[in-house]
Amino acid sequence: QKEVEQDPGPLSVPEGAIVSLNCTYSNSAFQYFMWYRQYSRKGPELLMYTYSSGNKEDGRFTAQVDKSSKYISLFIRDSQPSDSATYLCAISGAGSYQLTFGKGTKLSVIP
Amino acid sequence: DGGITQSPKYLFRKEGQNVTLSCEQNLNHDAMYWYRQDPGQGLRLIYYSQIVNDFQKGDIAEGYSVSREKKESFPLTVTSAQKNPTAFYLCASSIGGRSNQPQHFGDGTRLSIL
């Protein structure tokens, strides 16, 4: 079983829709959870960072962590065409230098 | 503006040639990282450095070398021993080399074989 699983998509939604992106992980020692957005031919940009179970909101973005189920989600409300990108989850354990990345989900928001 | 600058944006390598990718940061971050990104695969760690004059191998270090002589610079050399170098290379940095410090990325260098 891979350490981090992420559905690669592609995912296509109409403008204004609520988008749900998800990752599952296998190692219960993971404690830090990040979501990155990557536009084509660009580097990943940090969107959300959290280390506890529950929800964290930032504008149209909400990160959700369920440690008991080893499941993390990113919700995008009122999606815009500018949200079209690949979204990467990244997870790390306490005291570890290394991030484990999901393979990314490609999202297209259609006007 | 603070950030991470990678150069060149595109690079071509001939057979048997070593090439060096540049990464410079002005964020005053201690830790720096090099990743390789291939289509359909997640980012894979090549090397990382938590402090000047010190670096460690990541998961796929074979065929690569690095140096860390200055805090702001972490160049990556792709040697001729790397038989499949075509990929998108990403440099990142963080305040410290621990998991509770998120990593910030440059805009990458795309390396291709001539």
Side-chain angles (χ1 to χ4, degrees):
Chain A
Q1 183 184 12
K2 289 187 170 53
E3 285 201 290
V4 179
E5 300 270 9
Q6 183 175 12
D7 186 339
L11 180 62
S12 185
V13 302
E15 183 176 353
I18 296 174
V19 176
S20 172
L21 303 164
N22 310 294
C23 287
T24 58
Y25 61 96
S26 57
N27 189 344
S28 58
F30 285 143
Q31 292 191 9
Y32 301 97
F33 308 94
M34 283 144 273
W35 285 96
Y36 288 86
R37 176 175 63 195
Q38 186 176 22
Y39 292 116
S40 181
R41 300 186 188 89
K42 293 287 191 179
E45 170 194 8
L46 181 68
L47 276 180
M48 300 290 282
Y49 166 67
T50 184
Y51 53 86
S52 57
S53 282
N55 293 354
K56 180 178 180 179
E57 192 173 313
D58 184 0
R60 296 185 295 111
F61 299 92
T62 299
Q64 187 176 80
V65 175
D66 182 346
K67 288 187 178 181
S68 61
S69 301
K70 301 190 187 69
Y71 191 88
I72 65 170
S73 300
L74 178 70
F75 298 96
I76 307 175
R77 289 186 299 282
D78 188 24
S79 56
Q80 303 295 310
S82 58
D83 295 327
S84 298
T86 297
Y87 290 80
L88 304 163
C89 63
I91 305 177
S92 183
S96 169
Y97 63 87
Q98 189 160 356
L99 293 182
T100 300
F101 284 85
K103 292 184 179 181
T105 300
K106 187 170 184 178
L107 171 69
S108 294
V109 180
I110 311 302
Chain B
D1 269 63
I4 301 171
T5 301
Q6 289 188 243
S7 62
K9 197 172 179 65
Y10 300 96
L11 188 57
F12 298 91
R13 196 191 88 168
K14 296 179 183 178
E15 288 289 335
Q17 186 182 40
N18 293 353
V19 292
T20 297
L21 284 60
S22 171
C23 178
E24 303 275 334
Q25 55 99 358
N26 60 4
L27 300 168
N28 200 31
H29 284 175
D30 285 316
M32 297 186 75
Y33 311 81
W34 274 105
Y35 291 90
R36 172 179 170 140
Q37 188 175 34
D38 295 279
Q41 297 203 38
L43 275 68
R44 293 183 290 167
L45 184 67
I46 304 172
Y47 269 98
Y48 77 105
S49 168
Q50 293 181 293
I51 198 168
V52 174
N53 292 323
D54 186 51
F55 48 83
Q56 284 79 40
K57 294 181 179 179
D59 298 322
I60 55 165
E62 187 175 346
Y64 301 97
S65 66
V66 293
S67 63
R68 186 89 187 274
E69 297 176 1
K70 298 187 295 183
K71 184 176 184 177
E72 59 269 23
S73 179
F74 192 38
L76 173 74
T77 296
V78 183
T79 75
S80 57
Q82 173 50 245
K83 297 306 179 190
N84 184 23
T86 297
F88 191 45
Y89 290 87
L90 289 160
C91 178
S93 70
S94 63
I95 293 172
R98 293 298 185 185
S99 55
N100 61 342
Q101 303 295 338
Q103 295 176 21
H104 301 269
F105 287 83
D107 274 340
T109 292
R110 189 165 299 277
L111 176 61
S112 302
I113 295 293
L114 277 179

